[in-house]
Amino acid sequence: MMTDGAPDGREEDMEGEMMGEDVEADDEGDGGPEEQEDDIIDIPDEIEGIEDEDMSERTLNVHSGSVFCVAISGNEQIVLSGGEDDLAYVWNIANDANDKEDTKKIEGHKDSVTHVGFCAGDKYYFTADLSGFIQMFETATHSKIWDFEVGDVLWVKWHPVVPILLAGTVEGGIWMWKVPSFETKTIQLSSAPPVDAAFLSTNRHLLVGYQDGGIKVLDLKSGEASVSVEVRAELTSVGRAPDDGLLLVGGTDSTLHLISGGGKVIGTLREKVPGVKGNMDDSVEHIAFHPKRHLVAASYVKDRVCVWDTALQRLRTILTHPDGVVKTQWAGDSEHHLVTCCLDGIVRVWDVDQGEVIAEVTGGHSSQLLDMRISENLVVTCDDSGSVKVFRIS
């Protein structure tokens, strides 16, 4: 999730621009030499053999099925969760009382709740299910202020600065709602599903990857594409460099495609496996650019994270896991620490320069981890058995 913000006093202007006033242009970037392979880093045997300790500060066990998503409020006092039981829960973790007394159940959903989130400033939060039914609440009172149904959703996310909610649907549309007026806008530039999206640093443009290989940078004010390009791939994920000079998309064949900010396809990044032409059966699950260095981490459905040097288009390291990696995130302002969330129930902190696991966050999870969120002082995880766990980090 981006943390770039607008300068002081620009929030109201930006809201107007998103729903229909003036915008600026994107930067361009360039590429580099051919890809090469570097070290493959395996998890040390002594770490694999350790029995998981429950290091969590608090555990919530109110869901009756898998928990698919979690979110942390900006003030780190409230956690949201959504699950297979068609329910979401709001959990006040600032109190020391019984966990069940600190939770509020959110009903009304018609399918599994797969997306939850707080807006910038925590004034509002939403819950959304697979069928596209979205509910909105005021955080202070937990009062419901709105609901809407858009059809099956692939992602739902807040604008990083102003209270505008966006959603991508399987029919190819991008929906926008301005809160609290709920003025609605739609952008339909493709009939293919928009599988993933990321805000550019301008906060006025949205990078969207479509399942059919289409890649567009949407001007959220005009609803037009300022960049439009295609690659031969079934896309699954997108990412962008901190300065927007480089865009990256990943697909079901494990290949990463590099695109300049101006829309020129620069090349591809593909892990070389002896005797195999590509990894045709492994999807790119998540893409995370380093906030300062020319590094990007790509996690895969199977068992690894590949860390690439984007300036050199060179594979630096492969971080091998016991199972699939569902999420990766660079640790705060660290130059070389990467946090990975693995299906085996463990959150690992890697030193990517040394190629070592330097810490593990274990919660005694008996089932696969399905989501992870990291804030300044907290890690929150959820799993297939219905548990949500909160860890305090230093």
Side-chain angles (χ1 to χ4, degrees):
M1 175 82 58
M2 282 178 33
T3 56
D4 302 76
D8 292 344
R10 287 299 310 274
E11 288 86 352
E12 290 185 5
D13 293 341
M14 188 174 292
E15 285 185 43
E17 290 173 7
M18 296 304 94
M19 306 305 288
E21 282 129 55
D22 272 318
V23 206
E24 293 140 31
D26 299 321
D27 298 331
E28 290 195 17
D30 49 315
E34 297 180 353
E35 60 182 279
Q36 300 176 22
E37 284 198 29
D38 234 333
D39 300 326
I40 298 179
I41 308 301
D42 291 306
I43 297 172
D45 292 338
E46 59 269 22
I47 290 179
E48 288 182 333
I50 295 175
E51 184 176 345
D52 291 353
E53 172 192 358
D54 190 347
M55 301 165 62
S56 63
E57 184 175 89
R58 301 186 70 172
T59 300
L60 180 68
N61 286 311
V62 291
H63 284 279
S64 60
S66 301
V67 183
F68 296 124
C69 55
V70 288
I72 311 171
S73 63
N75 62 12
E76 299 186 327
Q77 295 186 357
I78 304 173
V79 168
L80 289 173
S81 62
E84 183 183 21
D85 52 8
D86 302 352
L87 297 172
Y89 283 90
V90 187
W91 185 15
N92 185 345
I93 60 172
N95 295 337
D96 292 327
N98 180 278
D99 290 340
K100 291 188 178 180
E101 294 175 359
D102 289 338
T103 60
K104 173 182 171 57
K105 182 192 295 185
I106 296 176
E107 300 177 296
H109 285 288
K110 308 171 184 180
D111 205 337
S112 298
V113 178
T114 50
H115 306 278
V116 295
F118 294 92
C119 71
D122 296 338
K123 187 172 183 180
Y124 307 105
Y125 62 84
F126 78 88
T127 61
D129 64 33
L130 277 174
S131 72
F133 183 63
I134 303 171
Q135 302 188 85
M136 182 81 65
F137 302 83
E138 285 189 343
T139 306
T141 62
H142 300 300
S143 300
K144 180 175 172 178
I145 59 172
W146 175 81
D147 62 47
F148 198 85
E149 190 160 8
V150 294
D152 295 354
V153 293
L154 297 166
W155 50 264
V156 186
K157 58 182 66 187
W158 286 104
H159 186 277
V161 178
V162 294
I164 294 177
L165 189 68
L166 293 90
T169 66
V170 295
E171 293 85 1
I174 310 292
W175 290 72
M176 299 170 58
W177 299 276
K178 183 177 178 181
V179 184
S181 68
F182 297 105
E183 177 185 348
T184 302
K185 180 176 181 177
T186 58
I187 301 174
Q188 182 95 37
L189 299 182
S190 174
S191 59
V195 293
D196 197 14
F199 283 96
L200 270 61
S201 64
T202 63
N203 294 326
R204 297 169 174 83
H205 298 84
L206 187 72
L207 168 64
V208 181
Y210 293 87
Q211 190 178 64
D212 65 356
I215 301 130
K216 299 182 187 299
V217 174
L218 305 183
D219 178 325
L220 294 177
K221 177 252 177 175
S222 69
E224 299 298 323
S226 59
V227 168
S228 183
V229 65
E230 291 186 7
V231 295
R232 296 180 63 182
E234 182 179 337
L235 298 185
T236 54
S237 54
V238 304
R240 57 92 184 169
D243 65 355
D244 302 334
L246 184 66
L247 313 177
L248 198 63
V249 298
T252 57
D253 64 353
S254 83
T255 302
L256 297 167
H257 300 265
L258 292 125
I259 301 156
S260 73
K264 180 181 178 181
V265 178
I266 297 169
T268 58
L269 303 177
R270 178 179 292 160
E271 177 190 355
K272 294 179 181 177
V273 179
V276 178
K277 187 177 180 181
N279 287 340
M280 304 301 289
D281 62 345
D282 200 3
S283 295
V284 180
E285 183 78 3
H286 190 251
I287 295 171
F289 274 89
H290 194 287
K292 298 177 181 177
R293 301 170 65 184
H294 294 292
L295 297 177
V296 64
S299 59
Y300 293 84
V301 167
K302 287 194 173 175
D303 62 356
R304 69 199 187 286
V305 174
C306 291
V307 180
W308 296 87
D309 184 318
T310 55
L312 299 176
Q313 296 185 29
R314 176 183 179 183
L315 179 60
R316 285 179 57 108
T317 273
I318 300 175
L319 309 176
T320 304
H321 292 66
D323 209 332
V325 181
V326 297
K327 188 154 291 184
T328 56
Q329 183 172 326
W330 294 97
D333 293 328
S334 171
E335 293 284 342
H336 47 87
H337 292 160
L338 180 71
V339 184
T340 63
C341 176
C342 184
L343 289 173
D344 71 342
I346 298 176
V347 173
R348 293 175 175 85
V349 183
W350 298 80
D351 184 321
V352 297
D353 290 338
Q354 299 299 319
E356 297 177 348
V357 178
I358 60 170
E360 290 186 338
V361 179
T362 58
H365 283 286
S366 59
S367 298
Q368 294 180 329
L369 289 183
L370 301 180
D371 196 15
M372 169 187 75
R373 288 293 182 272
I374 302 175
S375 61
E376 184 176 357
N377 300 295
L378 301 176
V379 174
V380 177
T381 60
C382 60
D383 70 20
D384 203 30
S385 73
S387 291
V388 178
K389 290 180 177 285
V390 177
F391 306 84
R392 190 160 297 276
I393 55 178
S394 56

